[in-house]
Amino acid sequence: MSARQTTNTETRNGPLDRLARLRVSLAELGADALLVSHLPNVRYLCGFSGSAGLLLVAESKATLFTDSRYTFQAREEVVGAEVRIAKKGVLRALREALRRDRRRFRRLAYSASHVTVADKHSLEANGGGGIRWVQDGNLVEKLRAVKDARELATIRQAAILVSDVFCRTLRLIRPGVSELELAAEIEYGIKRGGGSGPSFETIVASGERSAWAHARPGSKLLSKSELVVLDQGAIIGGYCSDMTRTVCLGRASPRARDLYGAVLKAQQAAKQAIRPGVTAGDVDHAARASLKSSKLDRYFTHSTGHGLGLEVHEMPRLGKAEQTVLREGMVLTVEPGVYLEGFGGIRIEDDVVVTAQGSDDLTTAPRDLLEL
Ligand code: ZN
Ligand code: ZN
C-alpha cells in the first residue's frame, strides 16, 4: 500500500473501508477471492472509472487489471489496489495471475449476472482450470445500497441539478415544440450545469404517447391540452439522479386533474411508508393500496421505485413483495404512475434518502400539477 493510500483522508468512507467490509463478507462466503467485472462495482471498490478493468480482491491484497489506455488514469484514481497494465488483454493477465498463485485462488467468487460463460472459459483455458466458482450473492451491490455521507452529498447535488434544469426548461414547454427538442434542452442543461451527462436517455412523451411508461422522445410536436411526461436524470461525480414530472399544456381536464391528484397521493403514501426496518415491498404496497382506493391500481404497471447511486437502477427494487429491508442511508426513487391507453400517462418521481426517522426528498422541483 502506498503512502498516498494510507494518508488519503477520503478513504475513511472510501475504497479502503469498502474493501475491508467486502473482505468480511468474502470470508463468510468461504471464497479465497472475488472477481469483480461489473464496472460500477470496480469503481465503487477502488475508484477506477475507466471502461476496461477487472478487479481481483483477495484477503491480503486487491489487484486491478486494465490496459495501457488507462495507465495514467489508473495511477490518478485507484486507491487500495495494485494496478497491473495488461499488454495482451485483461482476461489473459488475470488468468496468468490466477494460475501463478493457484493455491491461493482455489475458490473464486463471481457474479453470474456479470461474468459471461466466455469469460469463464477464457479464465480456465491454457492450464487455468481447477477454479471452483462460487456465486457472490451480490456482495458488492448490497454494500453499495447503503450510501456514505460523501455519496449522499454527491447524489443530492445530482438531484438538485436535475431539478433546476427541469425548472428552467418549463418556459420552453409549449405547443409547437417537439419532444426531441425538449429532451435536447434538458441534456444540454445538465452539462451546462456541471453534470457529466444524463444518467439515461431523457424521456419526453406527450399526449397519448405519455401512456408509454418508457417512451423515447420523437419528432412529435406538443399541442394544447396534452399531458407531457418528462423523466430525466443527471450524473455528477459518477452518481445518478432520476426525476419525473408530468405537466399539462393549458388547463387540465377534470379527469387529468383527478388522476394527477391520485398519483401524487400514492407517492406521498409511499414516501410516508419509508423508514429503516420496513421492507421494499411494504413501500410498494403503500403506493398500490393508495391507487386502489381510487380504483386506479390496475393502471399502475411498474414497480414503485428503485435504488439509485453509481447506476440509475440498483438495489433495492421497490416492487411487489420485495423482502429487502430498508436501512438508513439507502437512496431510492419513488415513482408511482398511471397509464391509460388512448388518454395518456402521469408519473411523479422523486429521489429520497432513508433517514433514521423516515425519508428526505433529494429532488426539489415542484410536485403540484403545473398547467403551462
Ligand atoms: Zn425516472
Ligand atoms: Zn426511476
Side-chain angles (χ1 to χ4, degrees), residues 158-170 186 190 199-200 202-203 229-234 240-246 267 271 306 308 312 332-335 347-351 362-367 370:
I160 289 172
L161 171 59
V162 84
S163 307
D164 290 349
V165 167
F166 169 79
C167 291
R168 276 201 301 274
T169 307
L170 282 174
I186 289 167
I190 286 170
S199 52
F200 55 91
T202 303
I203 294 171
V229 171
L230 301 105
D231 189 351
Q232 56 257 291
C240 302
S241 58
D242 179 9
M243 181 187 82
T244 308
R245 291 292 183 263
T246 305
Q267 197 211 26
K271 285 181 182 175
H306 50 85
L308 192 65
V312 74
L332 314 165
T333 70
V334 184
E335 50 177 307
R347 177 165 71 256
I348 308 168
E349 174 181 29
D350 282 302
D351 305 337
L362 298 174
T363 32
T364 56
R367 286 169 202 100
L370 295 173

Side-chain angles (χ1 to χ4, degrees), residues 10-327:
E10 292 178 358
T11 57
R12 195 171 306 134
N13 289 322
L16 286 184
D17 181 44
R18 292 169 189 170
L19 283 169
R21 284 186 293 146
L22 178 72
R23 285 184 173 114
V24 173
S25 315
L26 207 54
E28 287 165 5
L29 210 62
D32 300 319
L34 172 68
L35 167 58
V36 186
S37 61
H38 186 47
L39 289 168
N41 288 349
V42 171
R43 182 171 190 167
Y44 181 76
L45 292 171
C46 74
F48 178 66
S49 69
S51 67
L54 286 173
L55 181 68
L56 182 68
V57 184
E59 205 191 345
S60 53
K61 73 170 189 179
T63 312
L64 174 75
F65 299 87
T66 183
D67 64 50
S68 56
R69 291 171 300 169
Y70 292 111
T71 306
F72 304 138
Q73 185 178 331
R75 195 179 294 158
E76 178 79 23
E77 291 180 339
V78 175
V79 176
E82 183 188 308
V83 177
R84 292 234 192 117
I85 304 298
K87 293 204 174 67
K88 294 175 185 162
V90 289
L91 265 178
R92 187 164 160 177
L94 172 64
R95 180 176 69 216
E96 281 161 15
L98 291 175
R99 201 171 47 184
R100 263 197 310 274
D101 233 344
R102 70 174 76 211
R103 245 177 295 163
R104 273 183 54 221
F105 298 123
R106 225 169 257 154
R107 290 171 62 84
L108 189 59
Y110 78 108
S111 162
S113 318
H114 302 302
V115 175
T116 65
V117 173
D119 292 342
K120 285 171 87 174
H121 284 169
S122 167
L123 289 171
E124 288 173 333
N126 295 338
I131 298 171
R132 303 255 306 271
W133 296 96
V134 183
Q135 299 240 14
D136 77 353
N138 299 318
L139 281 183
V140 187
E141 283 81 359
K142 283 177 186 162
L143 284 180
R144 279 173 49 194
V146 177
K147 274 70 184 176
D148 64 39
R150 202 149 52 95
E151 291 181 291
L152 289 177
T154 311
I155 299 173
R156 190 182 290 275
Q157 264 186 303
I160 289 172
L161 171 59
V162 84
S163 307
D164 290 349
V165 167
F166 169 79
C167 291
R168 276 201 301 274
T169 307
L170 282 174
R171 65 187 169 82
L172 304 172
I173 304 177
R174 54 173 179 254
V177 68
S178 76
E179 293 173 352
L180 272 169
E181 253 177 285
L182 286 177
E185 284 294 337
I186 289 167
E187 296 185 0
Y188 178 65
I190 286 170
K191 289 197 175 177
R192 283 293 302 254
S196 55
S199 52
F200 55 91
E201 195 183 340
T202 303
I203 294 171
V204 179
S206 59
E208 291 186 16
R209 278 170 44 79
S210 61
W212 302 14
H214 268 200
R216 278 228 164 97
S219 53
K220 179 189 170 299
L221 305 181
L222 273 53
S223 54
K224 251 176 83 175
S225 309
E226 282 183 336
L227 289 168
V228 188
V229 171
L230 301 105
D231 189 351
Q232 56 257 291
I235 303 176
I236 289 186
Y239 284 83
C240 302
S241 58
D242 179 9
M243 181 187 82
T244 308
R245 291 292 183 263
T246 305
V247 301
C248 189
L249 286 187
R251 277 190 75 75
S253 66
R255 189 179 187 206
R257 188 174 287 278
D258 284 351
L259 290 170
Y260 193 95
V263 173
L264 188 58
K265 210 172 105 191
Q267 197 211 26
Q268 283 159 350
K271 285 181 182 175
Q272 276 160 14
I274 295 175
R275 75 185 77 89
V278 305
T279 68
D282 293 337
V283 179
D284 180 76
H285 177 76
R288 242 165 261 285
S290 173
L291 283 169
K292 194 170 186 176
S293 70
S294 322
K295 298 191 168 57
L296 292 171
D297 50 320
R298 68 193 174 101
Y299 302 112
F300 177 27
T301 47
H302 51 76
S303 54
T304 296
H306 50 85
L308 192 65
L310 286 169
E311 289 176 280
V312 74
H313 291 107
E314 54 179 62
M315 287 175 71
R317 194 175 78 88
L318 300 183
K320 264 185 198 164
E322 282 284 330
Q323 291 303 306
T324 309
V325 174
L326 299 191
R327 292 171 58 191

